[in-house]
Coordinates of all heavy atoms in Angstrom, one line a residue:
R67 N 6.7 26.9 -11.1 CA 6.3 25.8 -11.9 C 7.2 25.7 -13.1 O 7.7 24.6 -13.5 CB 4.8 25.8 -12.3 CG 4.4 24.6 -12.9 CD 2.8 24.4 -12.9 NE 2.6 23.1 -13.4 CZ 1.6 22.3 -13.0 NH1 0.7 22.8 -12.1 NH2 1.4 21.1 -13.4
E80 N 9.8 13.0 -16.3 CA 8.7 13.5 -17.2 C 8.0 14.5 -16.4 O 7.7 14.4 -15.2 CB 7.8 12.3 -17.5 CG 6.8 12.6 -18.6 CD 5.7 11.6 -18.7 OE1 6.0 10.4 -18.5 OE2 4.6 12.0 -19.1
V81 N 7.6 15.6 -17.1 CA 6.9 16.7 -16.4 C 6.0 17.4 -17.5 O 6.4 17.5 -18.6 CB 7.9 17.7 -15.8 CG1 8.9 18.3 -16.8 CG2 7.2 18.8 -15.1
C82 N 4.9 17.9 -17.0 CA 4.0 18.7 -17.9 C 4.2 20.1 -17.6 O 4.7 20.5 -16.6 CB 2.5 18.2 -17.7 SG 1.8 18.8 -16.1
S83 N 3.6 21.0 -18.5 CA 3.8 22.4 -18.3 C 2.6 22.9 -17.4 O 2.7 24.0 -16.8 CB 3.7 23.2 -19.7 OG 2.4 23.1 -20.2
G84 N 1.5 22.2 -17.4 CA 0.4 22.6 -16.6 C -0.4 23.7 -17.2 O -1.4 24.3 -16.6
D88 N -2.2 20.8 -21.4 CA -0.9 20.1 -21.1 C -0.7 19.8 -19.7 O 0.1 20.4 -19.0 CB 0.3 20.8 -21.7 CG 1.6 20.0 -21.5 OD1 1.5 18.7 -21.6 OD2 2.6 20.6 -21.3
N89 N -1.6 19.0 -19.1 CA -1.4 18.5 -17.7 C -1.5 17.0 -17.8 O -2.0 16.4 -18.7 CB -2.3 19.1 -16.7 CG -3.7 18.6 -16.8 OD1 -4.0 17.4 -16.6 ND2 -4.6 19.5 -17.2
C90 N -0.9 16.3 -16.8 CA -0.6 14.9 -16.8 C -1.9 14.1 -17.0 O -1.9 13.1 -17.7 CB 0.1 14.5 -15.6 SG 1.8 15.0 -15.6
L91 N -3.0 14.5 -16.4 CA -4.3 13.7 -16.5 C -4.9 13.9 -17.9 O -5.3 12.9 -18.6 CB -5.3 14.0 -15.4 CG -4.8 13.6 -14.0 CD1 -5.9 14.0 -13.0 CD2 -4.6 12.1 -14.0
K93 N -3.5 14.9 -20.8 CA -2.8 14.4 -21.9 C -2.8 12.8 -22.0 O -2.5 12.2 -23.0 CB -1.3 14.9 -22.0 CG -0.4 14.4 -21.0 CD 1.0 15.1 -21.1 CE 2.0 14.5 -20.1 NZ 3.2 15.3 -20.1
R94 N -3.2 12.2 -20.8 CA -3.3 10.7 -20.9 C -4.8 10.4 -21.1 O -5.2 9.2 -20.9 CB -2.8 10.1 -19.5 CG -1.3 10.1 -19.4 CD -0.9 9.5 -18.1 NE 0.6 9.4 -18.1 CZ 1.4 10.4 -17.8 NH1 1.0 11.6 -17.5 NH2 2.7 10.3 -17.8
K118 N -0.1 8.6 -12.1 CA -0.1 9.2 -13.4 C 0.3 10.7 -13.5 O 0.2 11.2 -14.6 CB -1.6 9.1 -14.0 CG -2.1 7.6 -14.0 CD -1.3 6.7 -15.0 CE -2.0 5.3 -15.0 NZ -1.1 4.4 -15.8
T119 N 0.6 11.3 -12.4 CA 1.0 12.7 -12.5 C 2.4 13.0 -12.1 O 3.0 12.2 -11.4 CB 0.1 13.6 -11.7 OG1 0.3 13.4 -10.3 CG2 -1.4 13.5 -12.0
C120 N 3.0 14.1 -12.7 CA 4.4 14.4 -12.4 C 4.5 15.2 -11.1 O 3.5 15.5 -10.4 CB 4.9 15.3 -13.6 SG 4.1 16.9 -13.6
L121 N 5.7 15.4 -10.7 CA 6.0 16.1 -9.4 C 5.4 17.5 -9.4 O 4.9 18.0 -8.4 CB 7.5 16.2 -9.2 CG 8.0 16.8 -7.9 CD1 7.4 16.2 -6.7 CD2 9.5 16.8 -7.8
N122 N 5.4 18.2 -10.6 CA 4.8 19.5 -10.6 C 3.3 19.5 -10.4 O 2.7 20.4 -9.7 CB 5.0 20.2 -12.0 CG 6.3 21.1 -11.9 OD1 7.0 21.2 -10.9 ND2 6.6 21.8 -13.0
C123 N 2.6 18.5 -11.0 CA 1.1 18.4 -10.7 C 0.9 18.1 -9.2 O -0.1 18.7 -8.6 CB 0.5 17.3 -11.5 SG 0.3 17.7 -13.3
K124 N 1.7 17.3 -8.6 CA 1.5 17.0 -7.2 C 1.8 18.2 -6.3 O 1.1 18.4 -5.3 CB 2.4 15.8 -6.8 CG 2.0 14.4 -7.4 CD 2.9 13.3 -6.9 CE 2.4 12.0 -7.4 NZ 2.6 11.8 -8.9
A128 N -3.3 20.2 -10.2 CA -3.7 19.9 -11.5 C -5.2 19.7 -11.5 O -5.7 19.1 -10.6 CB -3.0 18.7 -12.0
Ligands
LIG1 ZN1 2.0 17.0 -14.6

Side-chain angles (χ1 to χ4, degrees):
R67 191 160 188 148
E80 193 190 327
V81 58
C82 69
S83 72
D88 182 35
N89 70 66
C90 288
L91 291 177
K93 74 182 183 191
R94 289 180 174 80
K118 305 293 185 186
T119 66
C120 68
L121 182 55
N122 266 4
C123 283
K124 291 181 176 67

